[in-house]
Each structure stands twice: as structure tokens, then as C-alpha cells.
Amino acid sequence: MTIQWFPGHMAKARRQVTEKLKLIDVVIELLDARLPLSSRNPMIDEIVSEKPRLILLNKADLADEKVTDQWINYFRGLGIRTLPIDALSGKGVNKLPELCKELAGDMLAKRTERGMQGRAIRIMILGIPNVGKSSLINRLSKRAVAQTGDRPAVTKAQQWVKMGDTLELLDTPGILWPKFEDQMVGLRLAASGAIKDELIDFTEVALFAISYMMHYYPEQLLERFKLKEMPEDRVTMLEEIGKKRGCLVSGGNIDYDKAAELFLRELRSGKLGQVSVERPIDWEMDEPIGKPISLYE
């Protein structure tokens, strides 16, 4: 699945981020805990440069906790502080101000040495669409100052948001790279809901996610769809889901698109349990789990 999606406002957002960076003390990179590397914009390393950085793994409540620990260790190996959070419930968010203060320590010390007055730590929040930036800002500010939604690209402009006297947050529109060179990245993002549904093939994406769950989360599939045994392949599994959910067309045949869409809705909402669709080891495999196939292969 090749997806190209780089709206004009995203190109503008990149320019704005680069221009504002000189005003920033700490960069917060917000990722989806279920697929951290695939939800990480490869341009951010280039844009952020040497600024102190904190990675937040949002939607950690939907992700597999053991896999999230693997990702924390992975980013620790890169020298980047990482914190799992859930912006909607607020879990973990209360640790953010102190972590930002630690990361801005050198800057604060230099200002003190120069006899400069203290000011709020200025933070830039970056991430791809639909990863939860607006929800996080609303949680931090304790009021609805940022527009939220369950569709990508809700935020269209930058805005400064004060959080007491200690932090000033700069929200930015989601930045997505112009082309997914790795089709697995596109599939993981589509499974999570980060790509507009109008741009994806529900069946192809669902078959990827089903394959991944059959490998890592078979019991959760069996329990959710009340199956006694695991089907032999992912297409048969999708057919079983269609039967269980009444996704049928004339003649009793399976409506694959409807079954696939239903499965993805349940996956994204957490009804299938805590599921991560990416592990560090996936990036080392020659044949990643869930590699695309045709429907009848």
C-alpha cells in the first residue's frame, strides 16, 4: 500500500516549526505507544537538531505494556528520555513539568549565571496527525484550548498555551512525511487511525493487523470473537469475523470490506484488548509479520 499525503498546510507547518525553534527550550515528541517508530516523523531529527528532547508514548492505555517497556529501553539506548502517558485520562501527564525542568536545566542555569530573570520553560510539541497533541495540551492546561478530534489533521495552526507560571507550550499542526517508503509503516499507521480512512484499503489493513494479532495475541482474538480455535490463515480469520458480526451480502457471502472496517474500529477503540502493532524487533526482520498479501492468496 503506497500512500502519498503531504497537504500544503503540513509543508507550511515544517517551515513554521523551523522558524520557532530558536525560541524553544525543550522539544516534546509525541508518538503513538502502539507503533512508536512508525508514528515518528523522520524529519524531526533533522528539524530538532541539538535541542533537549522528551519522547511521550501516548495512548499507552491501548498498547501492550510489555512492548511499551521494550520501546522505553530502545529510546533509552538512543539517549532520549521516554515517558508513557494517556492524554485522555491524564495518566503519567503530571510527571511532565518536572521532566521538562530537568531537561531545561542547563538553560536555566545559564540564565541564572547571567543574572537574567526566570521565565517559563518554552516547549514545542511535535507529532504526526491524530497522535493526541491537542488532547495533551488540553490536559496540561486544564481547559479546552486546543481543538480535538478522532480524525487526522484537526490542528491547522500554531498556538502558544500557558500552563501556570512554569511552562509555555507551542502546539503545532501534525507533520507527516510525503511518502511512506516502507509499506509496513503505512499499514501500521492506517491500522492505528493516523491516516484518513478515505485513503486506505480497509481489507488490506485489517489483514495486516489480523496477522499480527494471530502471531502475538491469539487468545485476545479467540475471546473477542468467541472462536474455539484459531483459523489457519488471516483471510479465514477475517471471514470468521464477518460471520460473527453479520457482515454478509446476498447469498450468504462475506462482505470483506465491512468486516475489515468493523475489525479496525474494535482494534482502535481497545475492544480487542491492549495491542501493540509494532515491536523493536520488527525493524530487524527480513519478512515482517503482517506483510501484505492479496485477499485470495
Side-chain angles (χ1 to χ4, degrees):
M1 181 175 64
T2 300
I3 301 172
Q4 286 186 280
W5 184 44
F6 200 63
H9 76 271
M10 290 186 181
K12 180 181 178 182
R14 177 177 178 171
R15 292 193 299 272
Q16 290 175 334
V17 167
T18 303
E19 292 167 2
K20 295 286 187 180
L21 199 59
K22 60 181 178 291
L23 305 174
I24 300 300
D25 303 315
V26 176
V27 173
I28 292 177
E29 188 177 354
L30 195 61
L31 308 180
D32 190 321
R34 298 166 295 176
L35 55 154
L37 274 193
S38 288
S39 62
R40 191 173 193 227
N41 188 323
M43 293 190 300
I44 286 181
D45 284 334
E46 170 194 341
I47 295 171
V48 171
S49 186
E50 300 301 318
K51 291 286 182 179
R53 192 182 335 181
L54 172 66
I55 284 181
L56 298 184
L57 299 178
N58 193 30
K59 306 184 182 181
D61 59 314
L62 297 175
D64 184 329
E65 292 181 9
K66 292 181 180 179
V67 178
T68 297
D69 287 339
Q70 294 176 23
W71 283 112
I72 292 173
N73 289 332
Y74 171 86
F75 287 114
R76 183 184 295 127
L78 298 177
I80 304 176
R81 296 284 293 273
T82 308
L83 176 69
I85 67 164
D86 174 27
L88 287 178
S89 71
K91 185 177 180 180
V93 175
N94 62 333
K95 299 177 182 178
L96 187 54
E98 190 60 33
L99 283 173
C100 289
K101 187 176 180 180
E102 287 181 28
L103 290 168
D106 289 346
M107 180 276 296
L108 294 173
K110 289 178 181 178
R111 289 182 64 87
T112 301
E113 289 173 4
R114 296 170 182 169
M116 301 172 70
Q117 290 186 342
R119 61 163 172 77
I121 298 171
R122 294 171 178 168
I123 298 167
M124 177 182 285
I125 299 181
L126 295 175
I128 68 169
N130 208 35
V131 79
K133 296 187 304 299
S134 297
S135 296
L136 174 61
I137 288 173
N138 290 339
R139 171 64 58 176
L140 287 169
S141 63
K142 297 183 172 61
R143 62 190 189 279
V145 296
Q147 184 182 1
T148 62
D150 61 358
R151 291 169 59 83
V154 169
T155 304
K156 293 293 195 299
Q158 295 179 330
Q159 59 177 329
W160 284 99
V161 180
K162 288 185 177 292
M163 194 186 84
D165 296 325
T166 59
L167 297 179
E168 288 181 352
L169 311 178
L170 179 63
D171 184 21
T172 59
I175 305 173
L176 206 63
W177 53 99
K179 183 177 181 181
F180 306 113
E181 299 292 350
D182 184 342
Q183 63 184 162
M184 296 303 298
V185 169
L187 287 169
R188 293 175 192 129
L189 285 165
S192 75
I195 299 171
K196 292 180 179 180
D197 283 341
E198 300 94 298
L199 299 175
I200 72 173
D201 181 324
F202 280 118
T203 302
E204 184 177 2
V205 176
L207 287 174
F208 151 73
I210 287 171
S211 180
Y212 205 85
M213 288 198 68
M214 288 176 70
H215 185 85
Y216 287 112
Y217 306 102
E219 295 302 321
Q220 289 172 219
L221 277 176
L222 294 176
E223 180 180 352
R224 179 63 185 172
F225 297 107
K226 302 294 188 294
L227 300 174
K228 294 182 179 180
E229 60 183 9
M230 186 61 62
E232 61 182 15
D233 59 61
R234 52 180 143 177
V235 175
T236 306
M237 182 72 212
L238 180 59
E239 291 171 348
E240 290 296 327
I241 293 171
K243 293 175 185 176
K244 291 289 184 178
R245 293 293 187 263
C247 302
L248 305 173
V249 293
S250 59
N253 296 316
I254 302 296
D255 185 333
Y256 288 97
D257 283 342
K258 185 176 179 180
E261 182 176 0
L262 183 148
F263 170 80
L264 290 175
R265 302 280 183 227
E266 295 200 6
L267 173 66
R268 294 168 182 173
S269 66
K271 292 180 180 178
L272 295 173
Q274 292 179 296
V275 175
S276 295
V277 294
E278 180 178 58
R279 287 159 167 73
I281 194 174
D282 292 336
W283 289 82
E284 302 172 7
M285 300 171 65
D286 293 330
E287 290 289 328
I289 295 167
K291 186 176 179 180
I293 60 170
S294 67
L295 183 60
Y296 301 105
E297 184 174 326

